[in-house]
Amino acid sequence: MWYVREPTPEIIVNLRWLAELPFMDATWFGFGHRVPMPMPMPTPPVEGCDFKTFLFLTPIIETDQRIAEALMVENDPVEILTVNLISDAEYRFIKEKGLDPFLDMLDEEDYPPIFDPKRKSYL
């Protein structure tokens, strides 16, 4: 899930790529996982935004949280994740300090729930 104002073609392409990636690499995604764009990457994944790493978090909108809690496929719970783009410096911060301090920073900075391609790095 990616909270955006407008589902542009590049947003849709990125969501499809992210959805297919676990099947290509025989992996899975969960809360806090980060996916850097493959290099060399000629342009960032979203025009107007220099961030190149996807961070997966759980929904913060209450109705989406309730949907996530109730969603099951073949009696297995399904985790809904939100897509967030982060800067290289924020990515390094998470690797060095951990996810919790980064989430605290997002709270302190009043991180917007809807993607803003013009957001500046918090570091």
Side-chain angles (χ1 to χ4, degrees):
M1 176 181 297
W2 197 344
Y3 296 122
V4 297
R5 296 208 183 281
E6 182 75 28
T8 64
E10 62 189 349
I11 295 288
I12 294 167
V13 165
N14 282 292
L15 279 174
R16 284 188 177 137
W17 178 74
L18 289 167
E20 292 172 2
L21 191 58
F23 299 99
M24 292 185 285
D25 286 349
T27 190
W28 57 277
F29 295 138
F31 175 80
H33 280 184
R34 290 147 330 258
V35 177
M37 290 300 296
M39 291 302 187
M41 181 73 182
T43 60
V46 176
E47 185 177 333
C49 180
D50 292 332
F51 302 166
K52 299 180 192 122
T53 299
F54 295 99
L55 169 67
F56 296 111
L57 301 173
T58 53
I60 62 168
I61 296 175
E62 193 172 323
T63 53
D64 294 337
Q65 291 172 350
R66 284 197 301 269
I67 291 169
E69 292 166 358
L71 188 59
M72 303 279 281
V73 173
E74 297 180 4
N75 293 323
D76 289 324
V78 174
E79 185 176 9
I80 293 178
L81 299 170
T82 61
V83 174
N84 302 268
L85 274 172
I86 59 173
S87 70
D88 292 344
E90 292 167 341
Y91 179 57
R92 282 191 304 276
F93 180 88
I94 293 169
K95 287 175 70 173
E96 293 170 8
K97 307 277 186 188
L99 183 61
D100 286 340
F102 181 70
L103 295 177
D104 291 341
M105 184 186 321
L106 294 183
D107 286 342
E108 291 167 12
E109 296 289 341
D110 200 23
Y111 180 73
I114 297 174
F115 173 65
D116 178 4
K118 295 183 182 359
R119 176 181 81 82
K120 301 295 181 206
S121 178
Y122 296 137
L123 297 170

